[in-house]
Amino acid sequence: MAIDRQRRGLLLACGAVAVSALAWRHSGQRGHLLLSACDDSDGRHFLAAIDSNGTLQYRIPVPYRAHDIVPLTARQALYIGRRPAPVAYVVDIDSGVLSRTLHSPDGRHFYGHGALAADGLLYTSENDYEHRRGIIAVWDTTDNFR
């Protein structure tokens, strides 16, 4: 069944709203930035930021899809891998440089979401596929992500 232009436009608009809901806005040296993960038409994955003028500030290629973005500090954000990604990416927002890749423990992968508590503990949703259970993992951002 062919989709007419009006319906396609509505679907694209809904997709844009969903994507913007997953993005995170940051104010720093580059002004206001909207951070997001994205794919290109060839299926390659990127961590990206655009400024308030819609200008791409960085687009970092990565091997796994990212989903949620968690602010870590005034200068760093964590892009969490979308299932079944075994990685999460720490990016220096102002320079647009991937500064670190976190790896989930053996037998697990990230589910794409996380939250940072005031005490520096990062909570991530993960799949412990060897034991067939979902878990909330705790990472200490003040102790080298132990």
Side-chain angles (χ1 to χ4, degrees), residues 27-66:
S27 296
Q29 287 180 330
R30 295 180 184 212
H32 294 295
L33 294 180
L34 178 68
L35 309 182
S36 185
C38 59
D39 293 342
D40 67 10
S41 59
D42 294 324
R44 293 177 295 198
H45 313 298
F46 299 91
L47 313 176
I50 59 172
D51 65 19
S52 56
N53 296 318
T55 303
L56 183 66
Q57 294 297 307
Y58 64 80
R59 191 173 89 150
I60 305 165
V62 290
Y64 294 95
R65 285 176 66 183

PDB file of all heavy atoms in Angstrom, residues 27-66:
ATOM      1  N   SER A  27      24.351  23.977  27.121  1.00  0.00           N
ATOM      2  CA  SER A  27      24.869  25.323  26.913  1.00  0.00           C
ATOM      3  C   SER A  27      26.309  25.343  27.385  1.00  0.00           C
ATOM      4  O   SER A  27      26.606  25.003  28.521  1.00  0.00           O
ATOM      5  CB  SER A  27      24.061  26.350  27.712  1.00  0.00           C
ATOM      6  OG  SER A  27      22.739  26.376  27.239  1.00  0.00           O
ATOM      7  N   GLY A  28      27.211  25.717  26.513  1.00  0.00           N
ATOM      8  CA  GLY A  28      28.628  25.758  26.852  1.00  0.00           C
ATOM      9  C   GLY A  28      29.343  26.738  25.955  1.00  0.00           C
ATOM     10  O   GLY A  28      28.763  27.712  25.480  1.00  0.00           O
ATOM     11  N   GLN A  29      30.633  26.460  25.696  1.00  0.00           N
ATOM     12  CA  GLN A  29      31.445  27.348  24.873  1.00  0.00           C
ATOM     13  C   GLN A  29      30.833  27.575  23.496  1.00  0.00           C
ATOM     14  O   GLN A  29      30.957  28.642  22.930  1.00  0.00           O
ATOM     15  CB  GLN A  29      32.843  26.771  24.693  1.00  0.00           C
ATOM     16  CG  GLN A  29      33.705  26.853  25.924  1.00  0.00           C
ATOM     17  CD  GLN A  29      35.074  26.259  25.673  1.00  0.00           C
ATOM     18  OE1 GLN A  29      35.234  25.354  24.865  1.00  0.00           O
ATOM     19  NE2 GLN A  29      36.064  26.773  26.371  1.00  0.00           N
ATOM     20  N   ARG A  30      30.204  26.585  22.960  1.00  0.00           N
ATOM     21  CA  ARG A  30      29.618  26.693  21.621  1.00  0.00           C
ATOM     22  C   ARG A  30      28.205  27.261  21.643  1.00  0.00           C
ATOM     23  O   ARG A  30      27.524  27.263  20.639  1.00  0.00           O
ATOM     24  CB  ARG A  30      29.581  25.317  20.955  1.00  0.00           C
ATOM     25  CG  ARG A  30      30.927  24.727  20.690  1.00  0.00           C
ATOM     26  CD  ARG A  30      30.733  23.387  20.026  1.00  0.00           C
ATOM     27  NE  ARG A  30      32.006  22.723  19.835  1.00  0.00           N
ATOM     28  CZ  ARG A  30      32.272  21.926  18.833  1.00  0.00           C
ATOM     29  NH1 ARG A  30      31.369  21.678  17.927  1.00  0.00           N
ATOM     30  NH2 ARG A  30      33.437  21.339  18.723  1.00  0.00           N
ATOM     31  N   GLY A  31      27.739  27.725  22.791  1.00  0.00           N
ATOM     32  CA  GLY A  31      26.359  28.195  22.904  1.00  0.00           C
ATOM     33  C   GLY A  31      25.448  27.021  23.191  1.00  0.00           C
ATOM     34  O   GLY A  31      25.862  26.012  23.740  1.00  0.00           O
ATOM     35  N   HIS A  32      24.188  27.158  22.811  1.00  0.00           N
ATOM     36  CA  HIS A  32      23.231  26.075  23.024  1.00  0.00           C
ATOM     37  C   HIS A  32      23.444  25.002  21.969  1.00  0.00           C
ATOM     38  O   HIS A  32      23.484  25.282  20.780  1.00  0.00           O
ATOM     39  CB  HIS A  32      21.796  26.588  22.928  1.00  0.00           C
ATOM     40  CG  HIS A  32      21.439  27.539  24.022  1.00  0.00           C
ATOM     41  ND1 HIS A  32      21.388  27.168  25.342  1.00  0.00           N
ATOM     42  CD2 HIS A  32      21.121  28.853  23.994  1.00  0.00           C
ATOM     43  CE1 HIS A  32      21.049  28.194  26.078  1.00  0.00           C
ATOM     44  NE2 HIS A  32      20.889  29.242  25.286  1.00  0.00           N
ATOM     45  N   LEU A  33      23.571  23.763  22.439  1.00  0.00           N
ATOM     46  CA  LEU A  33      23.713  22.632  21.532  1.00  0.00           C
ATOM     47  C   LEU A  33      22.608  21.624  21.794  1.00  0.00           C
ATOM     48  O   LEU A  33      22.225  21.385  22.939  1.00  0.00           O
ATOM     49  CB  LEU A  33      25.064  21.927  21.720  1.00  0.00           C
ATOM     50  CG  LEU A  33      26.316  22.685  21.355  1.00  0.00           C
ATOM     51  CD1 LEU A  33      27.544  21.810  21.621  1.00  0.00           C
ATOM     52  CD2 LEU A  33      26.294  23.128  19.914  1.00  0.00           C
ATOM     53  N   LEU A  34      22.137  21.016  20.743  1.00  0.00           N
ATOM     54  CA  LEU A  34      21.209  19.901  20.844  1.00  0.00           C
ATOM     55  C   LEU A  34      22.018  18.654  20.525  1.00  0.00           C
ATOM     56  O   LEU A  34      22.572  18.535  19.432  1.00  0.00           O
ATOM     57  CB  LEU A  34      20.060  20.054  19.850  1.00  0.00           C
ATOM     58  CG  LEU A  34      19.049  18.913  19.846  1.00  0.00           C
ATOM     59  CD1 LEU A  34      18.258  18.897  21.152  1.00  0.00           C
ATOM     60  CD2 LEU A  34      18.114  19.050  18.665  1.00  0.00           C
ATOM     61  N   LEU A  35      22.128  17.757  21.500  1.00  0.00           N
ATOM     62  CA  LEU A  35      22.901  16.527  21.330  1.00  0.00           C
ATOM     63  C   LEU A  35      21.964  15.401  20.938  1.00  0.00           C
ATOM     64  O   LEU A  35      20.870  15.280  21.483  1.00  0.00           O
ATOM     65  CB  LEU A  35      23.613  16.159  22.638  1.00  0.00           C
ATOM     66  CG  LEU A  35      24.446  17.247  23.308  1.00  0.00           C
ATOM     67  CD1 LEU A  35      25.111  16.687  24.555  1.00  0.00           C
ATOM     68  CD2 LEU A  35      25.470  17.832  22.362  1.00  0.00           C
ATOM     69  N   SER A  36      22.414  14.571  20.021  1.00  0.00           N
ATOM     70  CA  SER A  36      21.586  13.464  19.576  1.00  0.00           C
ATOM     71  C   SER A  36      22.467  12.378  18.969  1.00  0.00           C
ATOM     72  O   SER A  36      23.600  12.638  18.562  1.00  0.00           O
ATOM     73  CB  SER A  36      20.576  13.954  18.543  1.00  0.00           C
ATOM     74  OG  SER A  36      19.699  12.912  18.186  1.00  0.00           O
ATOM     75  N   ALA A  37      21.932  11.192  18.921  1.00  0.00           N
ATOM     76  CA  ALA A  37      22.550  10.107  18.163  1.00  0.00           C
ATOM     77  C   ALA A  37      21.805  10.014  16.844  1.00  0.00           C
ATOM     78  O   ALA A  37      20.616  10.340  16.783  1.00  0.00           O
ATOM     79  CB  ALA A  37      22.444   8.799  18.932  1.00  0.00           C
ATOM     80  N   CYS A  38      22.489   9.604  15.786  1.00  0.00           N
ATOM     81  CA  CYS A  38      21.828   9.527  14.482  1.00  0.00           C
ATOM     82  C   CYS A  38      22.501   8.473  13.612  1.00  0.00           C
ATOM     83  O   CYS A  38      23.602   8.022  13.899  1.00  0.00           O
ATOM     84  CB  CYS A  38      21.838  10.878  13.783  1.00  0.00           C
ATOM     85  SG  CYS A  38      23.484  11.560  13.505  1.00  0.00           S
ATOM     86  N   ASP A  39      21.811   8.109  12.565  1.00  0.00           N
ATOM     87  CA  ASP A  39      22.326   7.193  11.552  1.00  0.00           C
ATOM     88  C   ASP A  39      22.275   7.908  10.212  1.00  0.00           C
ATOM     89  O   ASP A  39      21.458   8.808  10.015  1.00  0.00           O
ATOM     90  CB  ASP A  39      21.482   5.926  11.464  1.00  0.00           C
ATOM     91  CG  ASP A  39      21.581   5.060  12.705  1.00  0.00           C
ATOM     92  OD1 ASP A  39      22.523   5.217  13.489  1.00  0.00           O
ATOM     93  OD2 ASP A  39      20.686   4.224  12.875  1.00  0.00           O
ATOM     94  N   ASP A  40      23.131   7.503   9.292  1.00  0.00           N
ATOM     95  CA  ASP A  40      23.034   8.063   7.942  1.00  0.00           C
ATOM     96  C   ASP A  40      22.276   7.087   7.043  1.00  0.00           C
ATOM     97  O   ASP A  40      21.838   6.019   7.485  1.00  0.00           O
ATOM     98  CB  ASP A  40      24.405   8.447   7.380  1.00  0.00           C
ATOM     99  CG  ASP A  40      25.329   7.269   7.121  1.00  0.00           C
ATOM    100  OD1 ASP A  40      24.891   6.101   7.193  1.00  0.00           O
ATOM    101  OD2 ASP A  40      26.513   7.511   6.827  1.00  0.00           O
ATOM    102  N   SER A  41      22.134   7.442   5.790  1.00  0.00           N
ATOM    103  CA  SER A  41      21.343   6.618   4.872  1.00  0.00           C
ATOM    104  C   SER A  41      21.996   5.275   4.579  1.00  0.00           C
ATOM    105  O   SER A  41      21.337   4.364   4.084  1.00  0.00           O
ATOM    106  CB  SER A  41      21.093   7.377   3.568  1.00  0.00           C
ATOM    107  OG  SER A  41      22.325   7.710   2.955  1.00  0.00           O
ATOM    108  N   ASP A  42      23.287   5.140   4.910  1.00  0.00           N
ATOM    109  CA  ASP A  42      23.983   3.863   4.731  1.00  0.00           C
ATOM    110  C   ASP A  42      23.958   3.001   5.993  1.00  0.00           C
ATOM    111  O   ASP A  42      24.570   1.941   6.032  1.00  0.00           O
ATOM    112  CB  ASP A  42      25.432   4.108   4.307  1.00  0.00           C
ATOM    113  CG  ASP A  42      25.540   4.738   2.933  1.00  0.00           C
ATOM    114  OD1 ASP A  42      24.711   4.387   2.059  1.00  0.00           O
ATOM    115  OD2 ASP A  42      26.427   5.584   2.726  1.00  0.00           O
ATOM    116  N   GLY A  43      23.269   3.492   7.043  1.00  0.00           N
ATOM    117  CA  GLY A  43      23.154   2.717   8.273  1.00  0.00           C
ATOM    118  C   GLY A  43      24.317   2.884   9.233  1.00  0.00           C
ATOM    119  O   GLY A  43      24.402   2.179  10.234  1.00  0.00           O
ATOM    120  N   ARG A  44      25.223   3.831   8.960  1.00  0.00           N
ATOM    121  CA  ARG A  44      26.331   4.085   9.890  1.00  0.00           C
ATOM    122  C   ARG A  44      25.821   4.917  11.059  1.00  0.00           C
ATOM    123  O   ARG A  44      24.898   5.703  10.913  1.00  0.00           O
ATOM    124  CB  ARG A  44      27.473   4.808   9.168  1.00  0.00           C
ATOM    125  CG  ARG A  44      28.125   3.918   8.116  1.00  0.00           C
ATOM    126  CD  ARG A  44      29.182   4.663   7.362  1.00  0.00           C
ATOM    127  NE  ARG A  44      28.500   5.740   6.615  1.00  0.00           N
ATOM    128  CZ  ARG A  44      29.020   6.381   5.595  1.00  0.00           C
ATOM    129  NH1 ARG A  44      30.226   6.119   5.181  1.00  0.00           N
ATOM    130  NH2 ARG A  44      28.338   7.335   4.984  1.00  0.00           N
ATOM    131  N   HIS A  45      26.440   4.757  12.222  1.00  0.00           N
ATOM    132  CA  HIS A  45      25.989   5.379  13.462  1.00  0.00           C
ATOM    133  C   HIS A  45      26.902   6.544  13.851  1.00  0.00           C
ATOM    134  O   HIS A  45      28.122   6.468  13.682  1.00  0.00           O
ATOM    135  CB  HIS A  45      25.962   4.356  14.586  1.00  0.00           C
ATOM    136  CG  HIS A  45      25.299   3.069  14.210  1.00  0.00           C
ATOM    137  ND1 HIS A  45      23.972   2.989  13.841  1.00  0.00           N
ATOM    138  CD2 HIS A  45      25.791   1.814  14.115  1.00  0.00           C
ATOM    139  CE1 HIS A  45      23.679   1.739  13.554  1.00  0.00           C
ATOM    140  NE2 HIS A  45      24.764   1.002  13.704  1.00  0.00           N
ATOM    141  N   PHE A  46      26.292   7.593  14.440  1.00  0.00           N
ATOM    142  CA  PHE A  46      27.037   8.793  14.814  1.00  0.00           C
ATOM    143  C   PHE A  46      26.520   9.368  16.125  1.00  0.00           C
ATOM    144  O   PHE A  46      25.357   9.205  16.477  1.00  0.00           O
ATOM    145  CB  PHE A  46      26.890   9.876  13.730  1.00  0.00           C
ATOM    146  CG  PHE A  46      27.420   9.463  12.394  1.00  0.00           C
ATOM    147  CD1 PHE A  46      26.589   8.842  11.475  1.00  0.00           C
ATOM    148  CD2 PHE A  46      28.741   9.681  12.060  1.00  0.00           C
ATOM    149  CE1 PHE A  46      27.060   8.450  10.238  1.00  0.00           C
ATOM    150  CE2 PHE A  46      29.224   9.294  10.818  1.00  0.00           C
ATOM    151  CZ  PHE A  46      28.396   8.677   9.909  1.00  0.00           C
ATOM    152  N   LEU A  47      27.404  10.085  16.821  1.00  0.00           N
ATOM    153  CA  LEU A  47      27.058  10.930  17.960  1.00  0.00           C
ATOM    154  C   LEU A  47      27.150  12.345  17.414  1.00  0.00           C
ATOM    155  O   LEU A  47      28.155  12.700  16.795  1.00  0.00           O
ATOM    156  CB  LEU A  47      28.053  10.742  19.101  1.00  0.00           C
ATOM    157  CG  LEU A  47      28.404   9.290  19.469  1.00  0.00           C
ATOM    158  CD1 LEU A  47      29.464   9.257  20.545  1.00  0.00           C
ATOM    159  CD2 LEU A  47      27.156   8.533  19.880  1.00  0.00           C
ATOM    160  N   ALA A  48      26.138  13.158  17.616  1.00  0.00           N
ATOM    161  CA  ALA A  48      26.116  14.447  16.945  1.00  0.00           C
ATOM    162  C   ALA A  48      25.636  15.565  17.850  1.00  0.00           C
ATOM    163  O   ALA A  48      25.028  15.329  18.896  1.00  0.00           O
ATOM    164  CB  ALA A  48      25.214  14.365  15.711  1.00  0.00           C
ATOM    165  N   ALA A  49      25.936  16.793  17.411  1.00  0.00           N
ATOM    166  CA  ALA A  49      25.440  18.001  18.073  1.00  0.00           C
ATOM    167  C   ALA A  49      25.219  19.065  17.017  1.00  0.00           C
ATOM    168  O   ALA A  49      26.018  19.210  16.085  1.00  0.00           O
ATOM    169  CB  ALA A  49      26.430  18.500  19.111  1.00  0.00           C
ATOM    170  N   ILE A  50      24.106  19.789  17.163  1.00  0.00           N
ATOM    171  CA  ILE A  50      23.855  20.940  16.307  1.00  0.00           C
ATOM    172  C   ILE A  50      23.636  22.152  17.200  1.00  0.00           C
ATOM    173  O   ILE A  50      23.184  22.027  18.344  1.00  0.00           O
ATOM    174  CB  ILE A  50      22.639  20.738  15.369  1.00  0.00           C
ATOM    175  CG1 ILE A  50      21.364  20.460  16.161  1.00  0.00           C
ATOM    176  CG2 ILE A  50      22.891  19.636  14.376  1.00  0.00           C
ATOM    177  CD1 ILE A  50      20.102  20.448  15.318  1.00  0.00           C
ATOM    178  N   ASP A  51      23.989  23.326  16.675  1.00  0.00           N
ATOM    179  CA  ASP A  51      23.792  24.545  17.460  1.00  0.00           C
ATOM    180  C   ASP A  51      22.407  25.121  17.201  1.00  0.00           C
ATOM    181  O   ASP A  51      21.618  24.570  16.430  1.00  0.00           O
ATOM    182  CB  ASP A  51      24.907  25.556  17.198  1.00  0.00           C
ATOM    183  CG  ASP A  51      24.926  26.093  15.775  1.00  0.00           C
ATOM    184  OD1 ASP A  51      23.903  26.000  15.063  1.00  0.00           O
ATOM    185  OD2 ASP A  51      25.978  26.626  15.377  1.00  0.00           O
ATOM    186  N   SER A  52      22.114  26.240  17.852  1.00  0.00           N
ATOM    187  CA  SER A  52      20.774  26.825  17.761  1.00  0.00           C
ATOM    188  C   SER A  52      20.459  27.362  16.368  1.00  0.00           C
ATOM    189  O   SER A  52      19.306  27.649  16.063  1.00  0.00           O
ATOM    190  CB  SER A  52      20.606  27.936  18.807  1.00  0.00           C
ATOM    191  OG  SER A  52      21.625  28.906  18.657  1.00  0.00           O
ATOM    192  N   ASN A  53      21.470  27.475  15.498  1.00  0.00           N
ATOM    193  CA  ASN A  53      21.246  27.880  14.107  1.00  0.00           C
ATOM    194  C   ASN A  53      21.042  26.681  13.192  1.00  0.00           C
ATOM    195  O   ASN A  53      20.880  26.841  11.988  1.00  0.00           O
ATOM    196  CB  ASN A  53      22.418  28.717  13.593  1.00  0.00           C
ATOM    197  CG  ASN A  53      22.551  30.018  14.339  1.00  0.00           C
ATOM    198  OD1 ASN A  53      21.553  30.670  14.624  1.00  0.00           O
ATOM    199  ND2 ASN A  53      23.772  30.378  14.689  1.00  0.00           N
ATOM    200  N   GLY A  54      21.112  25.483  13.753  1.00  0.00           N
ATOM    201  CA  GLY A  54      20.961  24.271  12.950  1.00  0.00           C
ATOM    202  C   GLY A  54      22.252  23.824  12.288  1.00  0.00           C
ATOM    203  O   GLY A  54      22.240  22.948  11.431  1.00  0.00           O
ATOM    204  N   THR A  55      23.383  24.400  12.719  1.00  0.00           N
ATOM    205  CA  THR A  55      24.683  24.046  12.152  1.00  0.00           C
ATOM    206  C   THR A  55      25.265  22.845  12.888  1.00  0.00           C
ATOM    207  O   THR A  55      25.334  22.845  14.124  1.00  0.00           O
ATOM    208  CB  THR A  55      25.664  25.230  12.255  1.00  0.00           C
ATOM    209  OG1 THR A  55      25.088  26.358  11.600  1.00  0.00           O
ATOM    210  CG2 THR A  55      27.007  24.892  11.629  1.00  0.00           C
ATOM    211  N   LEU A  56      25.670  21.845  12.137  1.00  0.00           N
ATOM    212  CA  LEU A  56      26.285  20.659  12.727  1.00  0.00           C
ATOM    213  C   LEU A  56      27.614  21.048  13.369  1.00  0.00           C
ATOM    214  O   LEU A  56      28.490  21.612  12.715  1.00  0.00           O
ATOM    215  CB  LEU A  56      26.507  19.599  11.642  1.00  0.00           C
ATOM    216  CG  LEU A  56      27.088  18.273  12.101  1.00  0.00           C
ATOM    217  CD1 LEU A  56      26.104  17.531  13.009  1.00  0.00           C
ATOM    218  CD2 LEU A  56      27.449  17.419  10.892  1.00  0.00           C
ATOM    219  N   GLN A  57      27.762  20.762  14.652  1.00  0.00           N
ATOM    220  CA  GLN A  57      28.994  21.085  15.374  1.00  0.00           C
ATOM    221  C   GLN A  57      29.952  19.900  15.456  1.00  0.00           C
ATOM    222  O   GLN A  57      31.150  20.076  15.451  1.00  0.00           O
ATOM    223  CB  GLN A  57      28.671  21.582  16.784  1.00  0.00           C
ATOM    224  CG  GLN A  57      27.947  22.903  16.778  1.00  0.00           C
ATOM    225  CD  GLN A  57      28.803  24.005  16.181  1.00  0.00           C
ATOM    226  OE1 GLN A  57      29.932  24.231  16.588  1.00  0.00           O
ATOM    227  NE2 GLN A  57      28.257  24.687  15.180  1.00  0.00           N
ATOM    228  N   TYR A  58      29.410  18.720  15.568  1.00  0.00           N
ATOM    229  CA  TYR A  58      30.231  17.517  15.444  1.00  0.00           C
ATOM    230  C   TYR A  58      29.354  16.344  15.076  1.00  0.00           C
ATOM    231  O   TYR A  58      28.152  16.339  15.308  1.00  0.00           O
ATOM    232  CB  TYR A  58      31.069  17.230  16.696  1.00  0.00           C
ATOM    233  CG  TYR A  58      30.312  16.928  17.973  1.00  0.00           C
ATOM    234  CD1 TYR A  58      29.772  15.674  18.241  1.00  0.00           C
ATOM    235  CD2 TYR A  58      30.199  17.900  18.962  1.00  0.00           C
ATOM    236  CE1 TYR A  58      29.118  15.406  19.422  1.00  0.00           C
ATOM    237  CE2 TYR A  58      29.550  17.637  20.158  1.00  0.00           C
ATOM    238  CZ  TYR A  58      29.012  16.391  20.376  1.00  0.00           C
ATOM    239  OH  TYR A  58      28.366  16.118  21.559  1.00  0.00           O
ATOM    240  N   ARG A  59      29.981  15.364  14.459  1.00  0.00           N
ATOM    241  CA  ARG A  59      29.338  14.102  14.097  1.00  0.00           C
ATOM    242  C   ARG A  59      30.428  13.054  14.187  1.00  0.00           C
ATOM    243  O   ARG A  59      31.297  12.965  13.323  1.00  0.00           O
ATOM    244  CB  ARG A  59      28.745  14.176  12.697  1.00  0.00           C
ATOM    245  CG  ARG A  59      27.851  13.003  12.386  1.00  0.00           C
ATOM    246  CD  ARG A  59      27.154  13.193  11.076  1.00  0.00           C
ATOM    247  NE  ARG A  59      27.992  12.640  10.012  1.00  0.00           N
ATOM    248  CZ  ARG A  59      27.528  12.130   8.896  1.00  0.00           C
ATOM    249  NH1 ARG A  59      26.238  12.134   8.653  1.00  0.00           N
ATOM    250  NH2 ARG A  59      28.339  11.640   7.995  1.00  0.00           N
ATOM    251  N   ILE A  60      30.395  12.287  15.260  1.00  0.00           N
ATOM    252  CA  ILE A  60      31.438  11.309  15.570  1.00  0.00           C
ATOM    253  C   ILE A  60      30.967   9.924  15.154  1.00  0.00           C
ATOM    254  O   ILE A  60      29.955   9.438  15.659  1.00  0.00           O
ATOM    255  CB  ILE A  60      31.749  11.307  17.082  1.00  0.00           C
ATOM    256  CG1 ILE A  60      32.123  12.716  17.571  1.00  0.00           C
ATOM    257  CG2 ILE A  60      32.829  10.298  17.413  1.00  0.00           C
ATOM    258  CD1 ILE A  60      32.096  12.863  19.082  1.00  0.00           C
ATOM    259  N   PRO A  61      31.698   9.264  14.254  1.00  0.00           N
ATOM    260  CA  PRO A  61      31.291   7.901  13.871  1.00  0.00           C
ATOM    261  C   PRO A  61      31.578   6.913  15.007  1.00  0.00           C
ATOM    262  O   PRO A  61      32.615   7.002  15.666  1.00  0.00           O
ATOM    263  CB  PRO A  61      32.161   7.601  12.650  1.00  0.00           C
ATOM    264  CG  PRO A  61      33.331   8.511  12.761  1.00  0.00           C
ATOM    265  CD  PRO A  61      32.874   9.724  13.524  1.00  0.00           C
ATOM    266  N   VAL A  62      30.634   6.012  15.237  1.00  0.00           N
ATOM    267  CA  VAL A  62      30.783   4.987  16.270  1.00  0.00           C
ATOM    268  C   VAL A  62      30.258   3.655  15.724  1.00  0.00           C
ATOM    269  O   VAL A  62      29.423   3.642  14.826  1.00  0.00           O
ATOM    270  CB  VAL A  62      30.038   5.373  17.576  1.00  0.00           C
ATOM    271  CG1 VAL A  62      30.728   6.541  18.270  1.00  0.00           C
ATOM    272  CG2 VAL A  62      28.577   5.698  17.317  1.00  0.00           C
ATOM    273  N   PRO A  63      30.747   2.539  16.267  1.00  0.00           N
ATOM    274  CA  PRO A  63      30.334   1.239  15.727  1.00  0.00           C
ATOM    275  C   PRO A  63      28.938   0.779  16.145  1.00  0.00           C
ATOM    276  O   PRO A  63      28.341  -0.059  15.477  1.00  0.00           O
ATOM    277  CB  PRO A  63      31.394   0.281  16.264  1.00  0.00           C
ATOM    278  CG  PRO A  63      31.943   0.943  17.478  1.00  0.00           C
ATOM    279  CD  PRO A  63      31.842   2.418  17.227  1.00  0.00           C
ATOM    280  N   TYR A  64      28.405   1.311  17.254  1.00  0.00           N
ATOM    281  CA  TYR A  64      27.099   0.885  17.746  1.00  0.00           C
ATOM    282  C   TYR A  64      26.158   2.080  17.867  1.00  0.00           C
ATOM    283  O   TYR A  64      26.598   3.192  18.156  1.00  0.00           O
ATOM    284  CB  TYR A  64      27.214   0.237  19.135  1.00  0.00           C
ATOM    285  CG  TYR A  64      27.973  -1.061  19.139  1.00  0.00           C
ATOM    286  CD1 TYR A  64      29.325  -1.087  19.437  1.00  0.00           C
ATOM    287  CD2 TYR A  64      27.334  -2.261  18.847  1.00  0.00           C
ATOM    288  CE1 TYR A  64      30.032  -2.283  19.440  1.00  0.00           C
ATOM    289  CE2 TYR A  64      28.022  -3.454  18.851  1.00  0.00           C
ATOM    290  CZ  TYR A  64      29.374  -3.464  19.147  1.00  0.00           C
ATOM    291  OH  TYR A  64      30.063  -4.642  19.154  1.00  0.00           O
ATOM    292  N   ARG A  65      24.871   1.815  17.702  1.00  0.00           N
ATOM    293  CA  ARG A  65      23.861   2.857  17.876  1.00  0.00           C
ATOM    294  C   ARG A  65      23.836   3.348  19.309  1.00  0.00           C
ATOM    295  O   ARG A  65      24.008   2.570  20.246  1.00  0.00           O
ATOM    296  CB  ARG A  65      22.472   2.301  17.560  1.00  0.00           C
ATOM    297  CG  ARG A  65      22.190   2.107  16.118  1.00  0.00           C
ATOM    298  CD  ARG A  65      20.850   1.462  15.898  1.00  0.00           C
ATOM    299  NE  ARG A  65      19.760   2.347  16.313  1.00  0.00           N
ATOM    300  CZ  ARG A  65      18.491   1.995  16.282  1.00  0.00           C
ATOM    301  NH1 ARG A  65      18.141   0.785  15.895  1.00  0.00           N
ATOM    302  NH2 ARG A  65      17.559   2.848  16.649  1.00  0.00           N
ATOM    303  N   ALA A  66      23.584   4.628  19.472  1.00  0.00           N
ATOM    304  CA  ALA A  66      23.391   5.203  20.801  1.00  0.00           C
ATOM    305  C   ALA A  66      21.929   5.622  20.926  1.00  0.00           C
ATOM    306  O   ALA A  66      21.204   5.695  19.925  1.00  0.00           O
ATOM    307  CB  ALA A  66      24.309   6.385  21.016  1.00  0.00           C
TER     308      ALA A  66
END
